[in-house]
Amino acid sequence: MPPKRPPSIAIATAATKRRRGTAIKPIVSMAVSTSVGTSYQDDDGEDSNPLRKEFLQLLSAPQYKGRGVANSALKAHFGDKYTQLVPIINELTRASRLTMSKANGENEVYFSLLSAVEASKMQGLDAHSKLVYQVIESAGNKGIWTVDIRVQTNIPQATLTKIFKQLETRKLIKPIKAVTAKTKKLYMLYDLVPAKEITGGPWYTEGEFDHEFIAELRNFIIMCVRRMNRGKGVSIQQISDKMVQANVSRVQLSLEEVRQLVQTLLHDYVIEERGVTDDGMALFVPAKKITTMCEFGWWDVCVRTFILGGLDLRMMWC
Amino acid sequence: MTNAFGGFTHISPLSNATSSTAHPPDPQKALSSNCIRDYFGPVVQTVTDALQSRGPSTLQDLVSFIRNQCVRDWNEERNRLIEQINASSGKGNGGKVTMNKARGSEASGFVTDASHIRASLIVLLHHGLVHVSGGGSKHASKKEPVDNEGQKPQKPDPTASSTHYTYSFLGDRARLLPRFPRYIQHAKSMIDENAAHLVESLLFNGRMTAEDAISYVWGNLKSEESDDKEQQQVLVAIVNSFRSLIESGYIKAVDPIASNQELLDQQQKADDGINGGEVEFELNDDGEISAGKRKRRSRSTSDVSKSKKVKVNAADNNYGNNKQDDEQVVKLLSPLRKLVPAGSVYRANTSMFHASIRAMVLGRLVSEIYGEEVESNGKSTNGSTNGVNSHLNLAGPIVTAALTYAARQEHAPQQLSETEEEKHIRLAELGIFCPSDIVPFLANETKQSLQTQIGGLAQNLTNNLLRLSKLQYPPIISELEEALGHSKGGKFEINTRNLLARLRHRIIHRVVTTHQGAVAARIINILEYRGHCESDIVAEDAMVPAKEAREALHRLHRENYICLSDMHLTKTHNSGTAIYLWNVIPSRLKKTVINNVSTAILNLRLRRQHEVEVGKDWMDRAKDATDENDNEEDKKKYQAFCKGLERLDSACLQLDETMMVLKDL
């Protein structure tokens, strides 16, 4: 039976998908003054304020999903009514329905709407916790070390530990161990799938290099090369298709990953390239055994001859 | 660390300057030194080590250097005592008492007598292990000096203080000494057994005249039971083998080294200088060097110089011992005088042996790469090979024939009527052949196979060459001139360099795999393929954990297989921000592998020499070959001892073949 690979973590829904690639500078919630006393209804109840409704509709618009609405876009959209948004923004922020962020290198503030579920998770968090959350969110799927969080937020370690515990309990963040540094803790958002550089890709299982899995895959490829097409040669695509067909791995291996395996066999002189297909893809055949003169191993001389006076012939290679 | 060989001497007093005990060690020099000791003795090893450490030296420099290392401190009082003893004992009471001025015994390589050093140098010259240069005056030009009156040019006077001959040791030739059995076996397979005996005699003696070599072999081969007719047949066969060896290029004529007697005769006759550069200075009985007076060395009263004289003139004395044999030999050689001039001196041509062995090795390589495809693809129901792929089966023999032809072109003596232009063309087209050129060098089975097919030998050979030139994995033959319409069937060339590089690469891969592991060998291949890489990239390509890859990289770097370079992003060194790149320099990698193989060969040889010394009693008893030794236990130990020696020899030969492919082919 092929080794069982752990099921891939469910990808978060589109509405809550985090932005990637954009380094977002965390902003503590702005203190916005309200000049007009206005009463609001929450989302579940009927919304009597058309401005609020319009604001929420705008934030929910598909083109603003992900990054959010820029402040300048709000101004352009609402025109004179822009100043009336202030109490609405404050109210939503207090209810943890709204987040504000700034992209690196930009002065523009972006407003994003959170779902009710997320809002409930964020409710009750203090400013420090939200700051930590934003810092972790900005790291994306590559995660961020605890040291870096402390440096960026300037929060003492003891407080930070409590915040981490609180956020983990609310399932907002999760700790990850990188394969390159197993002793260090890495944090990322709960719903994100860690990047390949962190997990090591399909070659790692629970942070450990899966030698057996790779050995099985290599053996399978060797068998394919020997038996398919009567040993006349197989391409990487054919090998990949055969792997899918034989269900060797529960994790879907990309063509690049199969090529990586084939390359290691090439470097070990187990298989060799012999021709190309009509499409220009390389064909691989089992490598021929070549007489390389020095066929004996020093251990043959050591073990099978004699040891005189306790002298070990392994010194031949010293 | 205690000396594992306890009491076993294998180095000379000067070995610490050159060999494996030096820092940094040079395994190839150490191996050359050990080979010299094994074949010629400790004194010659001392001279060799002196040449290796000093570099090109004159004899005077050499003697003073060796004396500095080997002479012990002695005081004048002791010297006066000895003089008194000699004076009081008188001339009639036996030989003089001399003081041993060496720090150790001659068996350990301690030598102070200049005549011993000179004799060692002559031995090395005789075996072609030392190169001589110079011979002119220090201040004169290289051309023959013309005296002041403008008369005929005079050869330099070697006894003059301004005449210098410089001797350089050829370490690579010394390393070939253990390979002699390989050459003998190759001569046997390429020509016949008589040729093997001839090659053996030439290798053993360094160089011999044609008559000496043939007489020597004939003396060994003829038996007392055979009659004159059979002996004559043997002699004829030997002469034919000798001719074949010359025509094939396996032995070549060299300039003879003049003996002392010849030199002195020449001096007495013409007084026009010395040939051969053997007499550079004169030695007195104490071995002190002085220039100026010419001494008749052949009349020296010194026992030592007499014994060395015998050794040097051994070839001359052996020649003519049996006048009748020599006459027969001379009579058989007389029709061949154009090829074998009278008195010509021959030695084994190791370059030709290497070229010929290379032809066989690459032919085998090609057979191994392509030959099996016939069995897997072309086997029909009746078991015969498919004609479509039969050219793959012949790839190996064709490559061997083509490379053998190229070797003959390069090394065999050419026609005397060859003009300068023809010679230039021949050298320019070395390695290029037409199908008809290689037919004489094809194996009989190959010829038969080609002849039986439709089209005949020539046509089928051309077709096969064309098909083989289309192979690309790897390419073996290049078509230089199109065969279609060509009067000679086209011109082709074997991709020797490519094939040799491929074989060497596989050997290096195997050696690294054996020594460092499969992952390390894979990493080296990755670095060769990618160039400069960081360790993370290497780990990813090798599909090993990053930590394991880093450990392997540092291990390979420590062993000198790969290089590390760092790029700093700041002016000051900061390991946190620096980028460390690993890469492979192919020449360095090859040199490291060669050094490791040299070390392995040296250690095996030392082990064998030690075992022979320890088991000397067994060997002496075995020589007697009596039934006295009925002790079963003793017999078993002796058999185990012999088996062990055999395995050591086998291991040495295999390693030497590896070295041959890496360095000499």
Side-chain angles (χ1 to χ4, degrees), chain A residues 208-219:
Chain A
E208 294 293 326
F209 192 79
D210 202 341
H211 290 279
E212 286 178 11
F213 177 54
I214 289 175
E216 284 197 29
L217 288 176
R218 277 165 54 103
N219 286 338

Side-chain angles (χ1 to χ4, degrees), chain B residues 157-225:
Chain B
D157 181 3
T159 60
S161 58
S162 61
T163 306
H164 289 275
Y165 291 94
T166 307
Y167 305 94
S168 319
F169 179 63
L170 303 172
D172 283 341
R173 286 191 64 86
R175 214 182 11 86
L176 301 180
L177 290 169
R179 202 171 293 165
F180 287 177
R182 188 79 174 83
Y183 297 149
I184 295 166
Q185 189 235 345
H186 187 72
K188 185 177 173 181
S189 63
M190 294 305 286
I191 302 178
D192 57 23
E193 196 154 340
N194 290 331
H197 288 300
L198 285 163
V199 167
E200 185 182 358
S201 65
L202 286 171
L203 289 170
F204 180 71
N205 291 294
R207 56 183 74 190
M208 298 171 90
T209 60
E211 292 81 0
D212 281 345
I214 294 170
S215 303
Y216 181 87
V217 172
W218 191 35
N220 289 339
L221 289 182
K222 65 181 177 183
S223 62
E224 291 171 359
E225 294 152 2

